[in-house]
Amino acid sequence: MMPQATFETRSASARRQNILDYVRDRGGAQIDELAGRFVTSRMTIHRDLQVLSERGVLRRVHGGVTTPPKAFSEGSISQRSHRAMEAKQAIAAVAAGLVEEGEIIALDDSTTSRVLAERLTDSASLTVVTNSMGTANLFTSKPNVNLLLLGGRYNIDFDAFFGTLCEQAAASLRVNTLFLSVAAIRGMTAYHQEQDIIKAKQALMNISDRKILLVDSTKFGVITLNRFSDLTEFDVVITDSGLEKDLEDTLRNAGINLKIAEISTVRARGSSNSPERNP
């Protein structure tokens, strides 16, 4: 007899993600409200909320559920593009220094990677692989940049392509360096709220010789739904000087190759004139 399944069915996983989005939009919800909204039984909703609460993304309360204090939803690209912009600019400045002329690089759909792309548009020679429409558009008029846009199913909220076609297109390539971001960091693990986006990012990870994570300090200690990868899978992790000192020490002691980009708008623990603080 087949052992008890330890994985979620596709329909249950999709419903739980929809429940999570619904509760996050409203800050909370009642059991009967969710059962009616998602046309399912109260017992099914109870099971879904139990799973989501065990993952730490929702908090059970009497008769319903609410978001925990540090629950997180990335939202659309128009929302994300305005968040932590000075931190992203500082991170992109450090990341740009790791790009060599003539390299083949991959940039994911993140807004941080798009900020990095803006710094690379005047490169003398570069090949760029991306699934982001917005990032690709930055290079379309640049004759010295060889641009490869991964196709697939277009997602208007993320202004990028995902799905099987995107993943298969990536699998046919090889790149020198990948720059990507994630929605949240909890402990030594990176998370994202969308499974399709995780699959696209993983496809890019699989074809890259060097993997560099770009993640601003506001994403540390935040909760979102799906595990993406351990931080040890990245060759370099670049964040900004808003990161707590004890957390910085923990990451370095764990062997993470951490680079800290200085920004002037946070309580700097070093000179704001330097784009990167030495460990």
Side-chain angles (χ1 to χ4, degrees):
M1 183 175 65
M2 181 180 294
Q4 183 178 2
T6 58
F7 57 89
E8 299 174 7
T9 66
R10 185 182 299 272
S11 61
S13 179
R15 185 181 61 251
R16 287 166 187 167
Q17 180 63 58
N18 290 334
I19 290 171
L20 180 61
D21 292 340
Y22 182 87
V23 174
R24 280 174 169 169
D25 286 344
R26 292 156 181 79
Q30 297 297 304
I31 299 293
D32 289 339
E33 174 187 355
L34 293 171
R37 173 68 177 79
F38 296 101
V39 195
T40 189
S41 68
R42 297 180 84 258
M43 185 61 67
T44 297
I45 293 297
H46 274 293
R47 286 196 296 266
D48 289 341
L49 296 183
Q50 182 63 32
V51 171
L52 293 171
S53 66
E54 288 174 354
R55 293 176 180 174
V57 294
L58 292 180
R59 182 172 61 182
R60 301 289 296 272
V61 295
H62 181 69
V65 66
T66 186
T67 54
K70 295 205 74 177
F72 178 82
S73 176
E74 273 212 312
S76 69
I77 194 164
S78 61
Q79 296 170 318
R80 292 182 289 128
S81 62
H82 300 294
R83 293 177 185 160
M85 183 50 65
E86 289 183 318
K88 292 175 183 177
Q89 292 283 1
I91 290 168
V94 173
L98 301 178
V99 178
E100 298 182 5
E101 294 292 344
E103 263 198 308
I104 304 170
I105 69 168
L107 301 171
D108 74 341
D109 66 286
S110 66
T111 55
T112 312
S113 288
R114 188 175 298 192
V115 174
L116 171 59
E118 293 170 354
R119 289 182 169 269
L120 301 177
T121 54
D122 293 327
S123 298
S125 176
L126 201 63
T127 295
V128 175
V129 176
T130 186
N131 65 321
S132 167
M133 179 73 84
T135 294
N137 285 337
L138 294 172
F139 295 105
T140 53
S141 63
K142 305 299 179 180
N144 294 327
V145 175
N146 181 27
L147 175 64
L148 286 81
L149 177 59
L150 303 175
R153 176 175 44 79
Y154 180 70
N155 185 314
I156 192 171
D157 287 335
F158 291 89
D159 192 24
F161 296 91
F162 304 101
T164 302
L165 291 177
C166 175
E167 297 155 25
Q168 290 176 343
S172 66
L173 304 172
R174 192 74 197 174
V175 304
N176 300 120
T177 305
L178 164 65
F179 296 91
L180 65 76
S181 189
V182 293
I185 304 290
R186 190 77 169 177
M188 297 292 295
T189 306
Y191 292 85
H192 203 282
Q193 78 276 24
E194 299 283 351
Q195 281 286 3
D196 280 352
I197 297 178
I198 285 178
K199 290 177 182 178
K201 291 178 189 290
Q202 191 61 59
L204 293 173
M205 292 272 281
N206 292 341
I207 66 168
S208 303
D209 294 330
R210 182 172 61 157
K211 306 166 185 66
I212 299 178
L213 178 64
L214 314 176
V215 56
D216 67 78
S217 60
T218 66
K219 295 181 178 180
F220 284 84
V222 179
I223 299 169
T224 193
L225 186 59
N226 298 301
R227 181 189 181 281
F228 172 55
S229 68
D230 293 332
L231 296 186
T232 53
E233 295 182 42
F234 295 95
D235 298 283
V236 183
V237 174
I238 306 176
T239 189
D240 62 81
S241 50
L243 188 69
E244 295 294 333
K245 184 61 169 65
D246 57 350
L247 182 51
E248 176 186 340
D249 292 341
T250 297
L251 293 173
R252 293 194 191 280
N253 291 337
I256 303 301
N257 183 7
L258 189 68
K259 294 183 180 294
I260 305 293
E262 290 290 348
I263 54 175
S264 58
T265 55
V266 297
R267 284 197 302 270
R269 299 193 303 272
S271 170
S272 61
N273 296 322
S274 173
E276 179 190 344
R277 183 176 66 239
N278 293 325

